[in-house]
């Protein structure tokens, strides 16, 4: 899991440097050797980050975070009643 997170952060870094997925793959393979993600996984993450995905955490944590943000927005839109 930790290696996967490190690689996703490296992919995000490459996207910020405007490297293509094809340029990113050999760099990751050199850096992570046998622990490297599969090419198709690198392409998928590269596309996600290029399209604006900001979170590197696993999907469960991301969904929890999104749900919390939705609840906060929903709660903040409810009118506040005077308790006095």
């Amino acid at each position: 899991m930790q290696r996967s997170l490190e690689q996703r952060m490296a992919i995000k870094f490459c996207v910020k440097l405007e490297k293509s997925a094809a340029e990113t793959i050999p760099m990751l393979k050199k850096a992570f050797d046998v622990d490297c993600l599969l090419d198709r996984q690198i392409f998928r993450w590269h596309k996600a980050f290029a399209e604006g995905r900001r979170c590197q955490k696993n999907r469960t944590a991301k969904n929890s975070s999104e749900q919390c943000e939705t609840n906060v927005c929903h709660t903040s839109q409810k009118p506040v009643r005077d308790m006095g």
Side-chain angles (χ1 to χ4, degrees):
M1 168 75 178
Q2 184 63 26
R3 290 293 270 193
S4 175
L5 180 60
E6 289 177 28
Q7 290 180 62
R8 289 193 304 257
M9 291 179 359
I11 294 167
K12 185 173 183 178
F13 182 72
C14 288
V15 169
K16 287 186 175 264
L17 293 176
E18 299 180 0
K19 300 288 184 189
S20 70
E23 293 172 307
T24 301
I25 290 171
M27 289 189 281
L28 261 67
K29 286 187 178 191
K30 184 174 183 177
F32 294 99
D33 198 29
V34 296
D35 292 331
C36 191
L37 294 170
L38 298 174
D39 291 3
R40 66 177 175 262
Q41 292 171 309
I42 296 170
F43 274 107
R44 195 176 322 141
W45 278 111
H46 190 281
K47 181 180 179 193
F49 289 130
E51 291 174 349
R53 181 168 177 169
R54 295 172 17 198
C55 181
Q56 298 92 20
K57 300 199 185 285
N58 63 34
R59 291 182 185 175
T60 305
K62 182 179 184 298
N63 291 338
S64 302
S65 174
E66 287 177 359
Q67 186 62 40
C68 290
E69 289 175 21
T70 302
N71 289 342
V72 169
C73 291
H74 183 55
T75 304
S76 66
Q77 294 172 356
K78 290 182 180 178
V80 177
R81 296 183 189 160
D82 187 8
M83 299 298 281

